[in-house]
Amino acid sequence: MSKEELKKVSDSKISKKLKKGEAIFKEGEKLDGVFCVRDGVSKLSKLSENGKNQIVRLASKGEVMGQRAVIAEESTNLSAIAVSDMEVCFIPKEIISNTLDTNPNFAVEVLRHMAHDLREADDVIVNMSQKTVKQRMAEAFLYLRKNYGEDEDGFLTLSLSREDYSNVVGTATESCIRIISEFKKKGFIKTSGKKIGIADERKLLDLIDGF
Amino acid sequence: MSKEELKKVSDSKISKKLKKGEAIFKEGEKLDGVFCVRDGVSKLSKLSENGKNQIVRLASKGEVMGQRAVIAEESTNLSAIAVSDMEVCFIPKEIISNTLDTNPNFAVEVLRHMAHDLREADDVIVNMSQKTVKQRMAEAFLYLRKNYGEDEDGFLTLSLSREDYSNVVGTATESCIRIISEFKKKGFIKTSGKKIGIADERKLLDLIDGF
DNA sequence: TAATAAACCTGACAATTGTCATATATTTAA
DNA sequence: TTAAATATATGACAATTGTCAGGTTTATTA
């Protein structure tokens, strides 16, 4: 079964709609299959011992959630919560494991995908440990524009709450808010209500590079 | 080809010896295959834009390095440098890709392994972003004991330089040294020359849990 | 062995980030 | 619509962490 075939399977399934804030699955659960995002965006996060929440990655259209746990036959280490209204479909693990066992191409394709995820995770580790909160905030804005685009007025299509931002960059919500204020004052970004737009990409890039 | 068979292949290869400090490969290189650690330990690290080095993980006996890049057909995102004298063997990428294409079991096995690495990477992300430097230092000591053991006097078998420690936990070398001094003064660890041993596991665990 | 280099250590201080308290704005629900 | 809940914002301060500038010790090598 190729990726395209799998997509067909997934398209034929009845998909589930979720409202912003609803959970698709929670950390520690056993998953009976994987979830494929048809529309909207989900945050994949993990609770640390001290009660703080860390958003490890975001998943949007076409991306699959839960495959790591299903493949490793473990309970999931992450929670998936909708950050916008969503439509997801479910693919039972039996289909996954059957296809894995019988079709080497599929396995290799999944493998490539996971190799890619792993590289991204490595990059996140380096960013988290070597960059300042301001630099991480700047990267978050650029990442969101690159991956989810902006509207006709130049505001990010995917709007996260301040708390979500703080959970992405790994900082206190207050610090996050302060940095947003500072960036706005300096003209790096613009805001309108809770919408945020990039006003000066160059300045953000300079900040990331340490200038 | 099963994992055991692969091991046989690798064992039959002429292996290469490396002295502490030598590089197996460097960030950005194209790899013609993967490296299997037969003896010793290697650090897998990445340079961030600001010139700081981050150790993403350590690889020891039986572990494979470079598979992510070979599978994704990308240049490697990490450097591998020996932190002790080492013996590694090389498996050409042709063998890997042939085996991947023809043997679904092998692909699934590699997949499981990569799923495991990905989970660990997620955990590292959370640790890096949500824990203090002291907590991360405490975790590093416990991790090193768990994975590489201690000698008859209770000192960690794998002894890293202070700079390596700082690159593992993502902090300045001076901060790292100060924390080592503090832990020693408080009786959490003991030192002898550059050797470090765990003196009070309970206290370290309490610190990690925020007490 | 002596000279040199590298690693380790410490103090002083600055910069960054977190915490707590509180105020305002916005959203949600009764 | 009004009340309650939630999200956003800011000040004041403390705690953490980084930087620079020296030291000392340990390892390397000429």
Side-chain angles (χ1 to χ4, degrees):
Chain A
M1 179 155 57
S2 73
K3 193 176 184 177
E4 286 67 37
E5 286 177 276
L6 193 69
K7 191 172 178 306
K8 240 182 273 171
V9 170
S10 98
D11 286 347
S12 70
K13 293 270 167 194
I14 296 140
S15 61
K16 194 178 168 187
K17 301 209 177 199
L18 292 134
K19 289 222 176 297
K20 179 176 174 175
E22 285 188 278
I24 295 131
F25 53 81
K26 288 197 175 163
E27 198 175 335
E29 281 179 18
K30 292 243 168 187
L31 302 183
D32 297 323
V34 301
F35 296 86
C36 188
V37 181
R38 280 183 148 177
D39 200 33
V41 180
S42 167
K43 58 180 174 186
L44 290 156
S45 64
K46 184 167 164 29
L47 217 60
S48 74
E49 288 91 338
N50 60 25
K52 289 180 186 171
N53 223 3
Q54 177 66 32
I55 296 178
V56 171
R57 57 181 166 272
L58 297 168
S60 56
K61 194 170 184 170
E63 291 190 87
V64 178
M65 302 182 295
Q67 80 276 39
R68 199 211 58 76
V70 167
I71 285 163
E73 291 168 339
E74 297 169 354
S75 53
T76 178
N77 58 328
L78 302 172
S79 297
I81 294 168
V83 289
S84 64
D85 289 351
M86 292 187 78
E87 201 177 328
V88 299
C89 62
F90 178 76
I91 304 168
K93 65 179 175 195
E94 290 75 25
I95 294 186
I96 308 288
S97 50
N98 281 344
T99 315
L100 275 182
D101 290 343
T102 55
N103 189 327
N105 290 337
F106 178 67
V108 172
E109 207 171 318
V110 175
L111 197 47
R112 289 236 167 80
H113 195 266
M114 206 165 283
H116 177 257
D117 281 355
L118 190 54
R119 187 203 172 110
E120 293 223 319
D122 285 346
D123 291 343
V124 173
I125 291 172
V126 176
N127 278 341
M128 284 300 179
S129 39
Q130 303 283 12
K131 295 198 172 154
T132 64
V133 177
K134 274 181 204 175
Q135 291 174 319
R136 283 180 268 154
M137 287 289 295
E139 292 204 321
F141 294 133
L142 294 173
Y143 176 89
L144 290 177
R145 185 170 69 171
K146 187 176 162 217
N147 285 274
Y148 306 104
E150 54 189 13
D151 63 22
E152 62 279 2
D153 300 320
F155 293 104
L156 296 172
T157 309
L158 181 65
S159 90
L160 297 177
S161 71
R162 305 298 193 250
E163 192 180 359
D164 281 339
Y165 273 113
S166 73
N167 291 341
V168 166
V169 304
T171 192
T173 307
E174 295 94 325
S175 299
C176 169
I177 289 172
R178 261 183 255 276
I179 289 169
I180 288 174
S181 302
E182 185 193 329
F183 281 6
K184 190 182 173 183
K185 203 179 298 172
K186 288 183 176 169
F188 299 175
I189 62 173
K190 56 185 177 179
T191 68
S192 167
K194 45 182 33 181
K195 287 212 149 291
I196 291 178
I198 291 169
D200 193 337
E201 180 174 9
R202 185 70 258 147
K203 292 263 183 60
L204 288 176
L205 288 168
D206 284 350
L207 192 152
I208 292 168
D209 290 335
F211 297 117
Chain B
M1 181 156 56
S2 74
K3 194 176 185 177
E4 286 67 36
E5 286 178 275
L6 194 68
K7 192 173 179 307
K8 242 182 272 170
V9 171
S10 98
D11 285 347
S12 69
K13 292 272 167 191
I14 297 140
S15 61
K16 194 178 169 187
K17 301 209 178 200
L18 292 135
K19 288 221 176 299
K20 179 176 172 174
E22 284 188 279
I24 296 133
F25 53 80
K26 288 198 174 161
E27 196 175 335
E29 281 179 18
K30 292 242 164 184
L31 301 183
D32 296 323
V34 301
F35 296 85
C36 190
V37 180
R38 280 184 148 175
D39 199 34
V41 180
S42 167
K43 58 181 174 187
L44 290 156
S45 64
K46 185 166 164 26
L47 217 60
S48 75
E49 289 91 337
N50 60 24
K52 289 180 185 170
N53 224 5
Q54 177 66 31
I55 296 178
V56 171
R57 57 180 165 273
L58 297 167
S60 56
K61 195 170 183 168
E63 292 190 87
V64 177
M65 302 183 294
Q67 79 277 39
R68 200 212 57 75
V70 167
I71 284 163
E73 293 168 336
E74 296 169 355
S75 52
T76 177
N77 59 328
L78 302 172
S79 298
I81 294 169
V83 290
S84 64
D85 290 350
M86 292 188 78
E87 200 178 329
V88 300
C89 61
F90 179 76
I91 304 168
K93 65 178 175 195
E94 290 73 25
I95 294 186
I96 308 288
S97 50
N98 281 343
T99 315
L100 274 181
D101 290 343
T102 55
N103 190 326
N105 290 338
F106 178 66
V108 172
E109 208 172 316
V110 175
L111 198 48
R112 287 236 170 79
H113 195 267
M114 205 164 285
H116 176 258
D117 281 354
L118 191 54
R119 188 203 171 109
E120 292 222 319
D122 286 346
D123 290 343
V124 173
I125 290 172
V126 176
N127 278 341
M128 284 300 178
S129 40
Q130 303 284 10
K131 295 195 173 157
T132 65
V133 176
K134 274 181 204 172
Q135 290 174 320
R136 283 180 268 154
M137 286 290 295
E139 293 203 322
F141 294 132
L142 294 173
Y143 176 87
L144 290 178
R145 184 170 71 171
K146 188 177 162 217
N147 286 274
Y148 306 103
E150 55 189 12
D151 63 22
E152 62 279 2
D153 300 319
F155 293 104
L156 296 172
T157 309
L158 181 66
S159 91
L160 296 177
S161 71
R162 305 297 194 249
E163 192 181 358
D164 280 340
Y165 273 113
S166 73
N167 291 341
V168 166
V169 304
T171 191
T173 308
E174 295 94 326
S175 299
C176 169
I177 290 173
R178 262 182 255 274
I179 290 169
I180 289 174
S181 302
E182 185 193 329
F183 281 6
K184 190 182 173 184
K185 201 179 300 171
K186 288 185 176 167
F188 299 176
I189 61 174
K190 57 185 178 179
T191 67
S192 167
K194 46 182 32 182
K195 286 212 148 292
I196 291 178
I198 290 169
D200 192 337
E201 179 174 10
R202 186 71 256 147
K203 291 262 183 63
L204 288 176
L205 287 169
D206 284 349
L207 192 152
I208 292 169
D209 291 334
F211 297 118

